[in-house]
Structure formats: structure tokens, C-alpha cells
Amino acid sequence: MEFYSETTTGPNWLDLPKDLTANILKRLGTFEILASASRVCPLWWNICKDPLMWRTIHMPHVRNYKYLDNICCIAVERSCGQLEDIDIERFATDNLLECIANNGSHLLSLRMVDCWDISNKGFREAVSKLSQLEMVDISLSFVTGGSLEVLGRSCPLLKSLKFHLNRGLVFSKSDATAFIIAETMPALCHLDIKRHVLSNVGLLAILDKCHLLKSLDIRRCPYLELNDSLEKRFADQIKDLKRPDDELESYWFYETSDDE
């Protein structure tokens, strides 16, 4: 009996068209591209240097924060002004914000969640240069009302704002933030202000001034007292409403129940 073995070889990745290789590499995370993929071979190195590879930079749910702000800065600088969307959790700093501001003239979406190393000064200086922003999420941070006002006045195209407060932070009733949103963000279509301490007065100011608002999340806002007048406004204006007592999703940065 004659024995033989049949061997097969996989495709040579270097023979793939350059645009197809770029499409595959884009599906990797920012960290994986910088730390691994770009070092595989000269071809991949050249592809990973293309500014179009860095229109989108996503680095959420990262566990090891050491040097991540510097690594992210490398990715931002490689965009050469083509950056449109950046998503970061926990490790953003003023230095990174400055880098984004200097390279983000086309930035449309900025998400920096649970980033406590961002100062109000750093945030204000950055957003004053990012006039094309349409979507911002700065939940769980030290950003305050004054910085929010700079955001609104510097970014007239802003359509979506997420600004959750931390469960552990307790403040007395105040409509200051609501008034800033009402006066400086008339183009808002989506507003998410979980756990804020606005009253009915502040909420009405937002509804009065933000005529395009269609989506509103006011869950866990303790000082709101919804009445027939507000419910009528909601029915006339808001298509997607999350009320103060509606259930929270089980995201990592807040709990589903305040009783736990």
C-alpha cells in the first residue's frame, strides 16, 4: 500500500491587494495596530502610516493605562488632520487633549468617559479649537459648567451631548448646567444628562431653547417632578424619552439599581 501526504499552504498575505490589506488592518484596535500589526513587515508598516488609517481611533475598555496617552498621541499625530472620531475610556489627559486639538480640525465625534485626569482648563483650550464637533461624550469627569459653556459656544454644530454624573457625587438642586445647555447648544438633537440635579425650570429652559431636541435621557435626575405640562411638552417634542425612574442599562460605569 502506498502512503502519501497532501500538503496545503495558506495564502501569502503579502500578495493581497494593498487596499484589501488596509481594510483588514482597520478592523484591529488602535493599540493592536501600533503595537503589533505595524511591525510585521515593511508593507504593513507603510499601510499603518497612512493618515486615512487613523480617521477613527477607538481605545475603550483598556485595562493597562501606563503610557496609553502617549500611544494614543502617536495615533492622533499619524492622522495628519484626518481624525474624525476618537473614543477613549479612563486614560485621557490634558496632554492628549492638546494633541487632539492640534490634529483634529476635522474631528466630528469626541468620547472621553471616566477620564478624571482631564482638567477644565485643558478641556476648554482643546474644544475651542474643535469647531466641527457634532457628538461629545464627557461622562464621569471633572468637567464643569464653565467648560460646558466653552464647548457650546465653540462648537455650533453640536448635535449630541452625553454628560453623566457619577453615582457617588451628590449635589444640591441647581439649574446652572441646564441653563448653559439651553443658551449655548441650540442645535442639539440628543441629550443624555443622567444623575444631574436640574429642576423642572432647567428642563423647561432646555426644551424651550433646543427646538431640534428629539432624544432626551434624564434618568436618575432626583429633583425632577414630571407633571402634566411637562408630559405634554414631551409628547409634542421628544420622540425618545428616558424618564427619571426608568431602568438603567448595566454598563460598567454605572449600576442598574441605586438600591444595591
Side-chain angles (χ1 to χ4, degrees):
M1 181 179 294
E2 183 179 355
F3 293 91
Y4 68 92
S5 63
E6 181 177 341
T7 61
T8 60
T9 58
N12 187 341
W13 286 87
L14 298 181
D15 291 337
L16 293 175
K18 185 175 180 179
D19 57 345
L20 179 57
T21 301
N23 185 280
I24 293 172
L25 293 177
K26 284 180 182 178
R27 301 170 190 274
L28 299 175
T30 299
F31 184 82
E32 287 76 15
I33 294 175
L34 289 172
S36 301
S38 63
R39 302 182 180 185
V40 169
C41 63
L43 174 63
W44 286 21
W45 167 253
N46 287 325
I47 291 174
C48 291
K49 289 196 301 181
D50 186 346
L52 297 181
M53 283 285 293
W54 306 102
R55 281 181 174 174
T56 297
I57 296 174
H58 283 189
M59 299 181 72
H61 309 303
V62 182
R63 296 296 180 184
N64 183 6
Y65 312 123
K66 191 174 183 181
Y67 307 125
L68 281 179
D69 58 334
N70 293 330
I71 293 172
C72 191
C73 277
I74 294 172
V76 171
E77 289 170 351
R78 286 191 181 178
S79 74
C80 298
Q82 301 299 315
L83 183 63
E84 295 180 356
D85 177 7
I86 188 162
D87 181 350
I88 294 170
E89 291 177 5
R90 298 187 177 181
F91 67 85
T93 62
D94 284 354
N95 179 63
L96 177 54
L97 265 177
E98 182 181 6
C99 181
I100 293 170
N102 291 335
N103 295 273
S105 59
H106 294 92
L107 189 65
L108 303 177
S109 178
L110 172 68
R111 181 177 183 269
M112 291 188 166
V113 172
D114 201 20
C115 295
W116 297 95
D117 290 328
I118 294 175
S119 71
N120 279 286
K121 180 176 182 292
F123 182 80
R124 290 194 296 267
E125 291 178 352
V127 297
S128 65
K129 301 178 182 179
L130 301 172
S131 61
Q132 300 301 306
L133 278 174
E134 297 181 3
M135 295 174 285
V136 172
D137 185 349
I138 47 169
S139 300
L140 309 184
S141 68
F142 284 125
V143 173
T144 58
S147 296
L148 208 63
E149 182 174 1
V150 174
L151 172 66
R153 298 198 184 283
S154 302
C155 306
L157 303 178
L158 192 65
K159 298 176 182 177
S160 176
L161 174 67
K162 290 186 178 182
F163 187 25
H164 311 165
L165 292 186
N166 192 295
R167 173 182 175 180
L169 299 178
V170 180
F171 300 101
S172 58
K173 181 165 58 178
S174 171
D175 288 311
T177 297
F179 290 152
I180 288 172
I181 292 172
E183 293 298 328
T184 66
M185 303 179 185
L188 277 185
C189 298
H190 311 283
L191 177 61
D192 186 340
I193 47 173
K194 293 182 186 73
R195 302 192 186 283
H196 277 260
V197 291
L198 74 167
S199 72
N200 287 17
V201 174
L203 180 55
L204 281 171
I206 292 173
L207 295 173
D208 287 341
K209 294 295 184 70
C210 301
H211 301 292
L212 302 178
L213 194 63
K214 301 299 180 184
S215 173
L216 178 63
D217 192 335
I218 47 176
R219 284 177 286 182
R220 300 300 189 271
C221 293
Y223 298 110
L224 289 177
E225 299 177 0
L226 304 191
N227 51 37
D228 292 342
S229 176
L230 273 175
E231 291 292 350
K232 185 178 185 307
R233 290 295 303 273
F234 293 150
D236 293 340
Q237 185 173 352
I238 306 299
K239 293 183 178 179
D240 181 11
L241 175 66
K242 300 292 189 301
R243 292 176 169 81
D245 293 329
D246 286 351
E247 185 177 358
L248 288 173
E249 298 90 345
S250 183
Y251 293 149
W252 66 265
F253 49 82
Y254 55 77
E255 297 77 13
T256 57
S257 172
D258 285 343
D259 299 326
E260 295 179 358

